[in-house]
Amino acid sequence: MMKSEKPSVFVPDRSPLKVTMLVFSGCSIMCVASAVDPLRAANRVSGEMLFDWKLVSVDGEPPVTTSGLPVAVSGKFDPTETTDVLGIIGGFGTKTLGTPALLAGLRRVARSARAVGGIEAGTWLVGRAGLLEGRTATTHWEDMEDFTAAFPGVDVRPDRYIIDGPIFTSGGASPTFDLMLHLIRSRLGMAVALDVASVFIYDQARAATDAQPLVSLGRLDGYDPRLAQAIRLMEAHIDQPLTISAIARRAGVTSRALEKIFGKSIGEPPGAYYLRLRLSAARRLVVDTSVPMADIAARTGFSSAAGFSRAFAKTFGMSPTQLRRR
């Protein structure tokens, strides 16, 4: 898409905005809720139909989320139907669903809509349709490495959400909620956005450009910033693990003090937690991708595939190869 941009939807404007969400099976119910419930709440608190939103699927059938709950849709995705905003909500398996007809439909909508975007794995389809070329984008952190390799012409960043002209991308459920609050704030003002946040007792503590964490700390930062800093260091060095003494030094404590902090807050030593964090990352790659085991071992900081397999089996009760075959 050329950067002769259409008028942005992220500007002060109280005229009704037509929003279509294309939902795929395998997505998270939280992503669906984060995409539409803030809009519903904005209509309620403002007393006006300022967001005219609907859910559709590719075939008109209810897509089934990862929790097993089906999503009621109003019908089949129709690329010829006029909409201001098209959001594509995807999850497991979505990146393989880019049929020529579907991608052509997405490109057709992008030519007329004021904004098109991908939510979590929906970003893959936006990319497959060629709508991200030359732009900045994000996706869920689990897909970041593969997504970057698949789209070399895209500036992929680990931000929570990104708006680049008429294209928006979001890394997951919580960033999508933030994105929708930003849309509401941009169009209707801070007062309405605060009212919507209050409906959900939601306290937005992150900026759009904050990196997506592998470990969501919630309000742990407020209890012990040294623990939070140590965990952030661990997740930033999954492929090349730091020593515990190096982590302690960067967190501004002694190794013994770090041991006490982890024991009190988490109930296990920092070394054990770090290993579990790396193995959890490995398990996601084993289950959700076809990446070779040797590459998974290297990506998660193991010097040999054999050592990785032993540690994996000890933690999960079966080898990574056995788990992938299930």
Side-chain angles (χ1 to χ4, degrees):
M1 178 182 292
M2 300 295 291
K3 288 199 173 184
S4 55
E5 315 291 58
K6 305 179 184 70
S8 175
V9 296
F10 296 93
V11 294
D13 186 352
R14 292 188 71 88
S15 62
L17 192 71
K18 190 171 184 180
V19 179
T20 303
M21 293 293 176
L22 173 56
V23 184
F24 286 86
S25 289
C27 73
S28 162
I29 190 70
M30 288 189 67
C31 281
V32 178
S34 291
V36 299
D37 230 19
L39 306 183
R40 187 271 311 166
N43 288 342
R44 177 188 168 211
V45 301
S46 65
E48 301 178 60
M49 181 61 76
L50 299 174
F51 296 100
D52 179 12
W53 56 269
K54 70 174 183 176
L55 303 175
V56 298
S57 66
V58 169
D59 57 7
E61 295 298 316
V64 180
T65 62
T66 49
S67 61
L69 295 173
V71 175
V73 294
S74 60
K76 184 178 179 179
F77 172 56
D78 181 1
T80 67
E81 189 173 285
T82 302
T83 190
D84 294 310
V85 179
L86 173 65
I88 303 159
I89 307 176
F92 293 112
T94 301
K95 67 179 180 181
T96 66
L97 301 179
T99 64
L102 173 60
L103 299 181
L106 298 182
R107 287 190 290 269
R108 177 168 183 164
V109 174
R111 287 193 291 269
S112 58
R114 294 168 60 189
V116 174
I119 293 171
E120 201 165 282
T123 306
W124 282 92
L125 296 183
V126 181
R128 300 271 192 229
L131 303 177
L132 295 180
E133 192 67 23
R135 295 194 181 275
T136 302
T138 191
T139 190
H140 193 277
W141 60 264
E142 290 183 1
D143 282 347
M144 201 71 65
E145 186 173 348
D146 292 338
F147 190 84
T148 302
F151 301 105
V154 180
D155 180 9
V156 182
R157 300 181 185 177
D159 297 12
R160 293 171 61 77
Y161 68 84
I162 291 174
I163 302 165
D164 186 347
I167 304 296
F168 61 88
T169 50
S170 171
S174 178
T176 299
F177 198 103
D178 292 344
L179 172 64
M180 292 303 160
L181 278 182
H182 176 65
L183 176 65
I184 293 165
R185 182 170 57 249
S186 300
R187 295 182 68 81
L188 309 180
M190 179 62 80
V192 175
L194 289 175
D195 286 344
V196 170
S198 298
V199 168
F200 300 97
I201 319 178
Y202 181 76
D203 182 13
Q204 184 178 5
R206 302 288 181 184
T209 53
D210 284 351
Q212 297 174 39
L214 278 70
V215 181
S216 294
L217 299 179
R219 294 193 177 276
L220 189 59
D221 293 19
Y223 291 102
D224 198 323
R226 298 169 299 178
L227 176 64
Q229 186 176 358
I231 291 176
R232 290 292 177 241
L233 286 167
M234 290 176 181
E235 68 175 10
H237 295 84
I238 294 289
D239 57 340
Q240 295 182 325
L242 300 172
T243 63
I244 298 304
S245 60
I247 292 172
R249 185 168 58 253
R250 295 192 191 188
V253 297
T254 65
S255 296
R256 175 169 289 190
L258 190 64
E259 295 273 349
K260 290 181 178 179
I261 291 169
F262 267 79
K264 180 179 178 181
S265 301
I266 296 182
E268 64 182 347
Y273 179 85
Y274 200 178
L275 177 60
R276 185 159 55 82
L277 182 65
R278 291 162 51 208
L279 287 170
S280 294
R283 188 180 189 278
R284 287 189 289 270
L285 289 170
V286 169
V287 172
D288 298 335
T289 76
S290 57
V291 174
M293 296 303 173
D295 292 347
I296 294 176
R299 285 194 194 185
T300 52
F302 291 90
S303 58
S304 72
F308 161 62
S309 184
R310 285 194 297 271
F312 193 98
K314 184 176 180 180
T315 298
F316 299 114
M318 65 182 69
S319 71
T321 301
Q322 290 172 324
L323 181 61
R324 180 168 280 179
R325 288 174 180 164
R326 293 183 67 183

